[in-house]
């Protein structure tokens, strides 16, 4: 393996649209959502570990998930778990991790990847990432993997790239916010738009220089700790200073300002597994289009349902179509699939009425 290859695995999110399985104390990346025998974070780690050395993979997560990370990834050492003492969006934590990596290896190139994506063709993923790594080693480029849109999705941001080039990596014109349906249809018709998957590659030198240029305040804050990083003094510095960081995404902080952004249209299937419906799309179905995880089912006049229960539990469904049915310990969710985006709202109502122990 190339010792200059590093990965930052983003594992701090809550995944509230996967409630009641995903909760603030045990979010979706730590669950076997697909019924494969491995959790999402384990599958993501294995995918990266095919070409990134084990010791070069950092797990970026919230303090409260430290024990879950170490339990599910026993090959990882404590100093590979980069803990955020406060929620400050993606820019501060990426800068923090990048400075740590730069101190370990100034020649490093790195991938920033979410821990909860579904990618089936892992060989194609590796090929695409290493293609971007080569670009990043040769020039001061910030690269992202873009996903070929299959329908006018309004739930993703889009990457617009320059037309007219035969180059494998396309120069990015601009990042576009989540569009309405008509705008999304226009994007697809134009042919030079990709879904933004939030998978980024760059050299540590390039990303740190970008922060110096576009986010000098952030760089100054985290730059003060360079002498502490990867030492026993790091934790105290981060505890004292992390919450002072501006709450801003890497997209706003760097990518929308830089003129050296390139995108590679991904050659693998991808799903961000952001909702029960997205999970349903990726699971095998029975003859009536029901998708089942873990449960033993007796189904009558049941079509298009997403059913999940504890392993081996018997679930009987009669007369339901296009519902999400999730049984987890003290919570049972039976909810229309076409209202799945409202589950986040339902969770808030549950917390208000019954308390945080159910959330």
């Amino acid at each position: 393996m190339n010792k200059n290859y590093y990965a930052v695995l983003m594992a701090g999110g809550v995944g509230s649209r996967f409630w009641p399985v995903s909760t603030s104390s045990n979010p979706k990346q730590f669950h076997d959502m697909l019924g494969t025998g491995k959790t999402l974070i384990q599958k993501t780690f294995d995918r990266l570990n095919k070409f990134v050395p084990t010791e070069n993979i950092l797990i970026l997560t919230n303090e409260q998930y430290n024990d879950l990370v170490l339990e599910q990834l026993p090959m990882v050492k404590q100093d590979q778990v980069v803990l955020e003492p406060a929620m400050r969006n993606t820019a501060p934590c990426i800068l923090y991790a990048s400075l740590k990596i730069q101190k370990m290896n100034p020649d490093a190139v790195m991938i920033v990847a979410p821990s909860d994506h579904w990618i089936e063709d892992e060989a194609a993923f590796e090929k695409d990432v290493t293609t971007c790594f080569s670009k990043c080693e040769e020039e001061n480029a910030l690269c992202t993997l873009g996903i070929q849109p299959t329908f006018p999705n309004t739930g993703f941001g889009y990457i617009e790239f320059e037309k007219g080039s035969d180059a494998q990596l396309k120069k990015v014109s601009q990042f576009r916010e989540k569009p309405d349906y008509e705008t999304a249809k226009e994007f697809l018709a134009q042919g030079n738009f990709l879904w933004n998957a939030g998978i980024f590659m760059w050299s540590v030198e390039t990303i740190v220089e970008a922060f110096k240029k576009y986010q000098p305040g952030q760089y100054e804050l985290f730059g003060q700790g360079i002498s502490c990083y990867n030492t026993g003094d790091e934790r105290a510095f981060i505890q004292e200073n992390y919450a002072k960081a501006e709450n801003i995404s890497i997209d706003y902080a760097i990518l929308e300002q830089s003129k050296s952004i390139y995108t590679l249209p991904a050659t693998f299937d991808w799903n961000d597994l952001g909702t029960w419906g997205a999970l349903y799309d990726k699971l095998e179905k029975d003859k009536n289009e029901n998708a089942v995880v873990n449960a033993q089912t007796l189904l009558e006049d049941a079509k298009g349902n997403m059913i999940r229960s504890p392993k081996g539990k018997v679930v009987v469904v009669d007369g339901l179509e296009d519902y999400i049915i999730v049984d987890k310990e003290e919570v049972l969710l039976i909810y229309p699939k076409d209202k799945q985006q409202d589950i986040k709202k339902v969770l808030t109502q549950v917390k208000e009425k019954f308390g945080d122990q159910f959330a």
Side-chain angles (χ1 to χ4, degrees), residues 204-353:
V204 287
E205 182 182 4
T206 299
I207 191 63
V208 169
E209 287 303 315
F211 269 98
K212 284 181 185 176
K213 183 175 181 179
Y214 301 115
Q215 296 292 322
Q218 294 268 36
Y219 177 78
E220 186 182 352
L221 176 65
F222 286 94
Q224 294 169 20
I226 287 172
S227 62
C228 302
Y229 297 146
N230 310 328
T231 76
D233 298 326
E234 177 180 334
R235 197 79 206 112
F237 173 82
I238 289 299
Q239 288 284 2
E240 185 182 339
N241 291 285
Y242 197 90
K244 299 173 188 173
E246 183 185 355
N247 189 332
I248 186 170
S249 72
I250 192 70
D251 302 68
Y252 283 123
I254 304 296
L255 300 178
E256 293 190 5
Q257 301 192 62
S258 174
K259 305 296 182 229
S260 303
I261 311 284
Y262 294 84
T263 186
L264 178 65
T267 61
F268 52 85
D269 288 336
W270 170 90
N271 192 301
D272 78 331
L273 292 184
T275 63
W276 285 111
L279 178 62
Y280 170 85
D281 290 343
K282 284 302 163 196
L283 291 168
E284 285 186 20
K285 321 287 192 299
D286 66 15
K287 63 182 180 181
N288 292 314
E289 293 297 300
N290 296 296
V292 179
V293 177
N294 294 337
Q296 300 183 84
T297 56
L298 180 60
L299 307 177
E300 294 288 339
D301 191 24
K303 298 176 183 173
N305 297 300
M306 169 73 236
I307 302 166
R308 190 186 196 279
S309 75
K311 203 159 191 66
K313 187 160 192 174
V314 173
V315 177
V316 181
V317 180
D318 192 339
L320 277 185
E321 184 172 347
D322 293 332
Y323 266 73
I324 298 162
I325 304 160
V326 182
D327 182 40
K328 180 181 177 269
E329 294 155 6
E330 68 278 13
V331 177
L332 173 63
L333 176 74
I334 304 170
Y335 207 74
K337 218 159 60 188
D338 62 4
K339 291 176 68 180
Q340 61 180 325
Q341 296 293 346
D342 293 339
I343 288 177
K344 207 170 182 176
K345 233 183 287 178
V346 171
L347 175 56
T348 303
Q349 294 169 330
V350 167
K351 278 159 69 169
E352 287 171 356
K353 186 166 185 178

Side-chain angles (χ1 to χ4, degrees), residues 7 36 42 65 71 96 100 116 123 128 135 150 162 183 185 233 294 304 318 324 337:
T36 63
Q42 288 170 333
Y65 307 140
E71 177 188 316
Y96 171 30
K100 279 175 64 65
D116 52 5
D128 287 354
K135 175 86 169 175
T150 51
E162 293 178 2
T183 306
K185 283 203 297 189
D233 298 326
N294 294 337
D318 192 339
I324 298 162
K337 218 159 60 188

Side-chain angles (χ1 to χ4, degrees), residues 8-11 44 47-48 90 94 110-117 119 125 129 143-147 155-159 175 194-202 249-251 255 263-264 266 268 270-272:
V8 173
L9 203 163
M10 306 285 279
T44 305
R47 186 185 312 131
L48 293 166
T90 50
I94 287 173
M110 58 186 275
I111 175 173
V112 176
S115 60
D116 52 5
H117 288 179
I119 294 169
F125 171 78
V129 173
C143 294
T144 178
L145 295 180
I147 308 300
F156 298 142
Y158 283 70
I159 303 166
F175 288 86
L194 303 167
W195 289 337
N196 184 358
I199 303 172
F200 309 113
M201 287 112 326
W202 40 59
S249 72
I250 192 70
D251 302 68
L255 300 178
T263 186
L264 178 65
F268 52 85
W270 170 90
N271 192 301
D272 78 331

Side-chain angles (χ1 to χ4, degrees), residues 46-265:
D46 289 351
R47 186 185 312 131
L48 293 166
N49 202 198
K50 285 181 167 63
F51 58 99
V52 179
T54 302
E55 64 275 14
N56 289 3
I57 301 176
L58 302 185
I59 317 298
L60 228 162
T61 192
N62 192 281
E63 280 185 334
Q64 65 176 317
Y65 307 140
N66 181 64
D67 291 347
L68 277 170
V69 170
L70 294 173
E71 177 188 316
Q72 295 201 2
L73 301 174
M75 71 294 287
V76 164
K77 296 175 182 170
Q78 179 65 68
D79 59 11
Q80 290 172 250
V81 186
V82 183
L83 300 172
E84 303 168 76
M87 302 289 267
R88 285 295 178 273
N89 216 314
T90 50
C93 60
I94 287 173
L95 174 58
Y96 171 30
S98 300
L99 288 169
K100 279 175 64 65
I101 292 170
Q102 188 177 43
K103 193 174 176 187
M104 295 176 208
N105 182 352
D107 298 322
V109 288
M110 58 186 275
I111 175 173
V112 176
S115 60
D116 52 5
H117 288 179
W118 176 92
I119 294 169
E120 190 164 294
D121 190 344
E122 297 189 339
F125 171 78
E126 178 181 342
K127 187 170 181 291
D128 287 354
V129 173
T130 53
T131 296
C132 291
F133 276 173
S134 296
K135 175 86 169 175
C136 297
E137 287 173 323
E138 291 162 10
E139 56 187 274
N140 295 329
L142 301 170
C143 294
T144 178
L145 295 180
I147 308 300
Q148 297 281 7
T150 51
F151 66 99
N153 195 317
T154 59
F156 298 142
Y158 283 70
I159 303 166
E160 180 182 355
F161 62 84
E162 293 178 2
K163 287 182 173 179
S165 169
D166 293 330
Q168 195 176 9
L169 279 111
K170 315 292 186 186
K171 189 90 189 317
V172 172
S173 303
Q174 59 181 321
F175 288 86
R176 305 290 285 267
E177 295 296 311
K178 295 174 183 176
D180 58 31
Y181 185 69
E182 290 304 317
T183 306
K185 283 203 297 189
E186 287 173 24
F187 287 173
L188 266 64
Q190 289 181 49
N192 61 321
F193 283 81
L194 303 167
W195 289 337
N196 184 358
I199 303 172
F200 309 113
M201 287 112 326
W202 40 59
S203 70
V204 287
E205 182 182 4
T206 299
I207 191 63
V208 169
E209 287 303 315
F211 269 98
K212 284 181 185 176
K213 183 175 181 179
Y214 301 115
Q215 296 292 322
Q218 294 268 36
Y219 177 78
E220 186 182 352
L221 176 65
F222 286 94
Q224 294 169 20
I226 287 172
S227 62
C228 302
Y229 297 146
N230 310 328
T231 76
D233 298 326
E234 177 180 334
R235 197 79 206 112
F237 173 82
I238 289 299
Q239 288 284 2
E240 185 182 339
N241 291 285
Y242 197 90
K244 299 173 188 173
E246 183 185 355
N247 189 332
I248 186 170
S249 72
I250 192 70
D251 302 68
Y252 283 123
I254 304 296
L255 300 178
E256 293 190 5
Q257 301 192 62
S258 174
K259 305 296 182 229
S260 303
I261 311 284
Y262 294 84
T263 186
L264 178 65

